[in-house]
Structure formats: C-alpha cells, structure tokens
Amino acid sequence: MTDYRKRTRAVHAGTRRSQYGEVSEAIFMTQGFVYDSAKAAEQRFVKIEGDEFIYARYGNPTVAMFEDRLASLEGAEAAFACASGMAAVNGALTSMLKAGDHVVSSRALFGSCLYILEEILPRYGVEVSFVDGKNIDEWKAAIRPDTAAVFFESVSNPALEVVDIAAVAELAHAVGAKVVCDNVFATPVYSDAIAQGADVVVYSATKHIDGQGRALGGVILGTEEHIRGVVEPYMKHTGGSLSPFSAWMMLKGLETIELRVKAQTQSAQRIAEALSQEGKLAKVLYPGLPAHPQHDLAMRQMGAGGTVVVFDAGSREAAFAILNALDIVIISNNLGDAKSIATHPASTTHQRLPEAQKAALGITPGLIRLSVGLEDAEDLVEDLSRAIANL
Ligand SMILES: Cc1ncc(COP(=O)(O)O)c(C=O)c1O
C-alpha cells in the first residue's frame, strides 16, 4: 500500500478480511477473543504474535484496521486509537512524561489541551513553559537541555496561528526532546508532519476523520518503537481505547476524507474571500488568504488553508446577532463536519479562560469560528452575507 497515493491508501490500507471475504470492513463487536487451549492463552499473554488479540482495551481487529489505515495515510509506522481526541492528547503526553520533566508548549491551544498543559501536568510534577507558538525565538529561549517534549497545535484552535513544525522540531531534536503535534486543523489530508519533524502526531478523529458528526475518537501516531513501547502500555492499562463500533465509523470516514476535506477547503477559501469584502467585519482570518500573517508558512507546510475560517464581528452582541440570524450554518462546537458549524469561542470552548488570557490568545468577544461543511459554497456565502447585513 505504501507505493500508492494517499487517496488510494485512504480506501484500502489496513483492510483485514474474515473468512467471508466481505467488501465493507467487518465490525468485530467483541471485547474478548477465544483461545484454542489454556496453553495458547498463556502464550498470547507472554507475546502477541502477528494479528492476534487479547482484549479490546489492548486491541481489536476493527480498531487495528482503522489504526493501520490512518498510519498509512500519515506516513507513520504505527498508531494507537483512543476514545476521543482528548484521550489521545492526554495519552500522548502522559505516557512519555514523568515528574521532574520539562515541557515547552505553544500558548494558543484548544481549551481542554490547555487544561492538560496548564493544570494536569504541573499537578504531577511536570514543569511547563508556554511560548507564543508563532515566534521561533521564544521556542529557542524556552527549550532547555532537560526539555523532554514540546507540544503545539500545528494550526491553533480557534485563532488559526500556524506553528513552523520543521523549525520547532530542529530546536527540540537538538536537545533530544520529542515533538508532539496536535494536527487536527491540518487534517491527515494536508499533513506532512512526520516528514517535517514531528515525532508524535495526534488527531481528534471526532473532526474530519469521522466528518459526519457521529462519534468521538482520537489517535496517536508515531514510530513502532514509541507506540508499542510507550503509548500502548499506558493506553491499554488506563482504559482510553476506542470502541470497535466507533473505529468502524472512522474507518469508513477515512474512505472519503480526501474528497470531503478538499471540497470543504475550496468552500472555505471562497467564503474567506467573500467575508474579506464585508465592510462590517473587524477581521477575517484564514491561512489560505495572502493577508493571513503566516500565509506563506501555511502554504509551505500544508499547501492549503484548511476547512476553518475565523472572523471578528466586533463585539459579543454582533457575534451573537450573526449566529442567531444564520439559516444553514448551525450553532454548535464541533468542526470538520459535513454540516457548517459556527462557534463563539469566548462564551463556549474557551469560556473558562480569564479575560486577559482570552485577549492574549486572540479570542476577542466578537470572534466567530466557522467550520465549513459540504453544503454549496454559494448558499453558505449568501447565508453569511444575509446574517452580517442584519447587523
Ligand atoms: C485542536 C484540538 N485538539 C483536540 C481536541 C479534542 O478532541 P475531542 O473532542 O475528540 O476529545 C479538539 C476538539 O475540539 C481540538 O480542536
């Protein structure tokens, strides 16, 4: 499969067929597996050979198909599927860190990621230094000889700040630190994170991988040695594994991910360009627009602007008025969905943060995050223009 292009691998990689030769992947909805003898059970607990399984918290054939397909897409040696994106972020970090370690993290993070870095890791004796992820000098100053890991969202939620993976990886690798990259906004379609220097890539599969708003899921990708030796023991004993049924949905989601994400990105570009012409908006941010401060980096790193557009209505009242006036675009808080979704981060996903921290992260009272779906782009432009004209 590695010789084929991404779109082909997204349809076929990782497939395991049962004795029935099914076309669509089977859902192995089982927590356990039967052994031929007591001796065989003992042997499997000593060493799992090939395509053997013990217990669904450790692994399952449907989950393994999803892991192998995504690892193939990402160009990673191995993957471990998790119950949610946050189980993946937490597992990726906690599995490799111990008390006394030092971590450098970008400050601009999704609220729950920030909670892990700001609240949970320090509670267990891990020191975390925060930097402006856009500023390579800040990374340089913060990374120390004893830094064990760096963490960032390659495109931040919600302010769409782009982190230079290759530049940060060079600094981190110089001191032997692991690079952990939350790549949700880049999506597996536009990601080349491992080639660019990431050691561990994390996705919330709840977003573009499912892509149709059905289930939570996550995944941690990396080398065979790291996933099997560090991540798997932590995940299988702490219980954050993905259900086989959700893995099956994610697996089917991967078959269409390239078509969906490319169509959504094309619409996002069209919408960002249209919103830029709206005189009533204070700001429009989209990495695919030449006006985005890191447009060149985004194009070099991902080759596209992605599926999320952010704009500032100027005030909380104006933002609420726009959200309430939208007809097609729904108010919710997922992203990467077939349905276009508008979110007001200041009052929802990032509500917990003090006002000063919101301001430092660019989460202004008027900011709206728009996840562009699969509807007709012109209908979306008209829906947004109508809602904005109401102001
Ligand atoms: C960048 C990023 N990382 C992680 C997550 C968490 O994913 P999940 O909701 O699947 O736990 C999200 C969810 O919004 C996210 O945007």
Side-chain angles (χ1 to χ4, degrees):
M1 267 297 137
T2 47
D3 290 343
Y4 294 108
R5 292 167 183 81
K6 268 195 183 186
R7 198 155 131 188
T8 305
R9 285 182 268 143
V11 177
H12 291 287
T15 302
R16 287 159 166 79
R17 290 207 166 87
S18 77
Q19 71 274 30
Y20 300 113
E22 63 279 355
V23 171
S24 178
E25 296 76 358
I27 310 174
F28 290 93
M29 206 65 220
T30 178
Q31 49 69 28
F33 301 84
V34 177
Y35 312 99
D36 289 341
S37 66
K39 184 72 189 160
E42 182 188 32
Q43 274 171 350
R44 205 170 295 181
F45 272 79
V46 172
K47 192 168 191 307
I48 293 178
E49 299 282 357
D51 218 14
E52 293 178 341
F53 299 91
I54 288 180
Y55 190 60
R57 179 154 42 75
Y58 291 30
N60 166 288
T62 310
V63 178
M65 286 193 258
F66 169 59
E67 290 169 337
D68 289 356
R69 186 165 296 175
L70 190 59
S72 170
L73 273 190
E74 193 65 29
E77 288 176 14
F80 194 94
C82 308
S84 68
M86 288 324 302
V89 172
N90 183 59
L93 291 168
T94 318
S95 64
M96 74 162 80
L97 295 170
K98 59 181 185 321
D101 278 345
H102 176 242
V103 172
V104 182
S105 171
S106 166
R107 204 175 281 125
L109 299 176
F110 169 58
S112 300
C113 295
L114 198 56
Y115 184 77
I116 291 175
L117 273 298
E118 223 174 18
E119 305 281 339
I120 298 182
L121 292 181
R123 211 187 281 168
Y124 293 93
V126 175
E127 185 193 350
V128 182
S129 306
F130 287 98
V131 296
D132 173 354
K134 307 186 295 304
N135 186 336
I136 202 66
D137 291 333
E138 288 201 17
W139 287 102
K140 203 177 285 177
I143 292 172
R144 315 190 304 225
D146 65 335
T147 302
V150 301
F151 178 78
F152 53 83
E153 292 170 9
S154 55
V155 179
S156 73
N157 180 2
L160 305 183
E161 294 181 4
V162 186
V163 173
D164 188 334
I165 301 174
V168 174
E170 195 181 328
L171 295 171
H173 290 158
V175 299
K178 290 254 192 265
V179 176
V180 184
C181 168
D182 180 329
N183 220 16
V184 164
F185 279 55
T187 83
V189 174
Y190 297 125
S191 170
D192 201 16
I194 288 181
Q196 287 157 354
D199 298 297
V200 177
V201 176
V202 175
Y203 285 105
S204 162
T206 318
K207 313 292 188 272
H208 307 83
I209 293 174
D210 174 15
Q212 288 158 81
R214 296 167 293 199
L216 288 170
V219 70
I220 307 170
L221 300 119
T223 61
E224 183 75 25
E225 188 186 4
H226 186 75
I227 297 297
R228 298 279 89 84
V230 177
V231 173
E232 185 183 302
Y234 178 88
M235 292 306 300
K236 76 184 187 186
H237 293 303
T238 57
S241 306
L242 185 64
S243 122
F245 188 72
S246 298
W248 177 79
M249 275 189 279
M250 304 302 178
L251 192 57
K252 302 312 282 181
L254 284 179
E255 291 184 348
T256 55
I257 192 170
E258 185 171 313
L259 298 176
R260 287 185 285 106
V261 166
K262 285 190 170 168
Q264 286 167 270
T265 299
Q266 208 176 353
S267 297
Q269 182 80 35
R270 164 81 183 98
I271 289 165
E273 284 164 9
L275 291 180
S276 300
Q277 307 303 316
E278 291 284 352
K280 288 185 172 173
L281 297 180
K283 186 166 63 181
V284 177
L285 273 175
Y286 180 64
L289 290 178
H292 187 282
Q294 295 161 292
H295 173 68
D296 292 345
L297 171 62
M299 289 302 117
R300 206 165 63 238
Q301 197 157 281
M302 304 186 292
T307 66
V308 177
V309 180
V310 167
F311 57 95
D312 194 331
S315 68
R316 174 188 154 99
E317 291 66 34
F320 275 33
I322 291 175
L323 291 190
N324 292 336
L326 288 167
D327 183 30
I328 304 168
V329 180
I330 55 176
I331 305 170
S332 190
N333 36 262
N334 196 21
L335 59 94
D337 199 286
K339 296 181 173 64
S340 290
I341 295 173
T343 311
H344 182 247
S347 62
T348 60
T349 53
H350 291 71
Q351 187 192 65
R352 174 184 79 79
L353 301 184
E355 291 310 315
Q357 200 173 355
K358 280 184 203 163
L361 298 179
I363 303 165
T364 49
L367 200 77
I368 293 176
R369 187 189 76 192
L370 174 69
S371 168
V372 178
L374 284 170
E375 304 92 341
D376 190 302
E378 298 316 310
D379 283 337
L380 293 173
V381 168
E382 285 166 22
D383 196 25
L384 288 155
S385 299
R386 210 168 28 232
I388 293 164
N390 261 348
L391 286 181

